[in-house]
Amino acid sequence: MGAHPVTGEKVTIDKMRTAVVTGAAGFLGSHLTDRLLAEGYRVIGIDNFLTGSRANVEHLQGEAKFELLVQDVTQYLDIEGPVDIVFHFASPASPVDYLELPIQTLKVGSLGTYRALGLAKAKRARFLLASTSECYGDPLVHPQSEDYWGNVNPIGPRGVYDEAKRFAEALTMAYHRVHGVHTHIARIFNTYGPRMRLRDGRVVPAFISQALTGKPLTVFGDGSQTRSFCYVSDLIEGIYRLACSDYHEPINLGNPVELTIREFAELIRRLTGSSSTILYEPLPVDDPKQRRPDITRARRILGWEPKVDLETGLRWTVDWFKARLKMTTE
Ligand code: NAD
Ligand code: UDP
């Protein structure tokens, strides 16, 4: 039995709350689903497996409170019965994915957000958008706080993701202002952990799988660009607290410990005990040079900050990737 995040009421089987999670078969969506089920929610997941996989929710087979609808969220969403909250997480999220799927990325950020907001409005449900630090583009302000409007190239290759998410934020605020939908916007910074695809192209799975298989670590550019990495359980705690809050403006969720990609490559080599070399490759177009969240707002409004330090989170993630690699070679 859990407490309902909005009212604090105890949630029981006969008074069950329902959450819709778009992108439920993805990395974050599946962890969020686990958390909501643990809190006593019934969860209706929606996913078309564009970048996610059934394997991420396989452990929920036979779970009476979970249902997965295999559907594209850019199409009309017809859900029977009451819904209390809609979490909109569907979208390619790895730069490699959204460069390969530019139109789908634009559609899920625009039409998909429109459908998900429409569902929340029709059901008088809350709505939470998984937005992104990419809204800040290649930032000229450092660290990034929520009042910075960003530096995005709208027509560059990353623009398909950045502008779709910026549109999604604008649409979310419009539904809040015009229709009174109770909305939340989480600007998520680089998050990592188990269930990322081995080959999704993001730096954490890329370096770990390269290190574990003795291949060179592919550092893009000279590796002086910075990122800050948040472990998935911390991120999900922030998302849950935000969903419980009455706050409507965007909130950064991420880990403020910043390091260069070269330092990150060294760290992965040390943690895996790998003797992989480093291979320098060209820096992708518009790759942000620096990124670190200012989490003052999340601390103040949600009483939230990350708890898992980078080395601990990476050790857990490396162990998970080791098991995956073993399964794929068996
Ligand atoms: P992911 O690729 O693992 O998950 C996305 C899921 O959405 C996949 O299961 C995919 O199949 C599904 N999907 C995509 N388009 C769809 C559509 N049209 N209809 C139905 N399902 C669709 O990515 P993730 O890392 O779990 O990211 C989840 C969300 O969080 C995304 O919205 C992403 O923009 C946001 N986000 C993630 C990070 C991060 O570091 N992981 C950072 C910032 C923002
Ligand atoms: N990166 C890298 N090698 C890789 C993958 C990524 O050097 O194999 C770099 C990438 O150029 C970026 C950083 O690592 O500067 C983080 O990339 P990721 O794709 O994880 O996400 P981003 O933060 O760019 O959205």
Side-chain angles (χ1 to χ4, degrees), residues 146-158:
E146 292 86 349
D147 50 16
Y148 176 50
W149 293 349
N151 177 41
V152 172
N153 173 3
I155 57 159
R158 291 177 91 101

Side-chain angles (χ1 to χ4, degrees), residues 26-28 47-48 50-52 72-73 89 161 165 191 202:
F27 162 51
L28 295 182
D47 206 295
N48 65 352
L50 184 66
T51 56
D72 185 334
V73 293
F89 274 62
Y161 181 67
K165 290 288 186 181
T191 300
R202 287 183 270 194

Side-chain angles (χ1 to χ4, degrees), residues 95 158 190 201-203 206 218-220 225 227 261 287 291:
R158 291 177 91 101
N190 299 63
R202 287 183 270 194
V203 72
T218 50
V219 169
F220 298 161
Q225 70 273 32
R227 292 295 185 272
I261 292 302
D287 195 295
R291 182 182 290 161

Side-chain angles (χ1 to χ4, degrees), residues 192-205:
Y192 70 97
R195 299 190 195 150
M196 294 184 97
R197 271 168 26 244
L198 281 171
R199 277 169 274 282
D200 88 355
R202 287 183 270 194
V203 72
V204 176

Side-chain angles (χ1 to χ4, degrees), residues 17 19 21 46 54 113 130 142 164 175 190 192 213 228-229 241 245 265 285 290 299 315:
R17 301 282 171 165
V21 177
I46 305 178
R54 203 178 276 282
T113 305
H142 192 72
Y175 266 64
N190 299 63
Y192 70 97
T213 54
S228 317
F229 298 98
R241 286 185 188 215
S245 79
V285 176
Q290 50 182 1
R299 282 198 176 103
R315 282 184 203 282

